[in-house]
Amino acid sequence: MMEELYNLESVYDEQISPLMKQIIDICKEHKMPMVCSFAFENDAELGIGACTTLLNDFDGRIHDGFSKAWARLEAVIDLWLQ
């Protein structure tokens, strides 16, 4: 677990999230696989706050590396939640 405590949720909500919506819309329109993850918070009691997006199956257009990255991210998130 990260040691530094921080809360950047407002930065994510106000600045990154609108851009991510645009990126996600573009990727969906062009059927472009993508993976992206942000750790916007590290709280002493709640742990890591994160937002992760995977778009990886457009009519069989699958990026194997992204599937592996997703599995790895899920394992890390499970550790954070313990």
Side-chain angles (χ1 to χ4, degrees), residues 20-37:
M20 282 303 298
K21 181 177 179 350
Q22 291 178 8
I23 291 167
I24 289 166
D25 289 346
I26 292 166
C27 289
K28 285 180 176 179
E29 177 184 353
H30 297 282
K31 300 179 180 179
M32 179 186 294
M34 58 86 65
V35 64
C36 188
S37 188

Side-chain angles (χ1 to χ4, degrees), residues 1-10 38-51 76 79-82:
M1 180 179 205
M2 295 178 175
E3 303 234 357
E4 177 189 6
L5 300 178
Y6 60 92
N7 186 333
L8 300 171
E9 186 170 6
S10 65
F38 298 92
F40 55 78
E41 179 179 29
N42 187 25
D43 183 272
E45 294 178 17
L46 301 174
I48 300 293
C51 181
V76 170
L79 286 174
W80 289 340
L81 296 176
Q82 292 180 1

Side-chain angles (χ1 to χ4, degrees), residues 20 32-37 52-55 65-67 69-70 73:
M20 282 303 298
M32 179 186 294
M34 58 86 65
V35 64
C36 188
S37 188
T52 302
T53 302
L54 172 69
L55 300 176
F66 289 173
S67 296
W70 182 259
L73 284 167

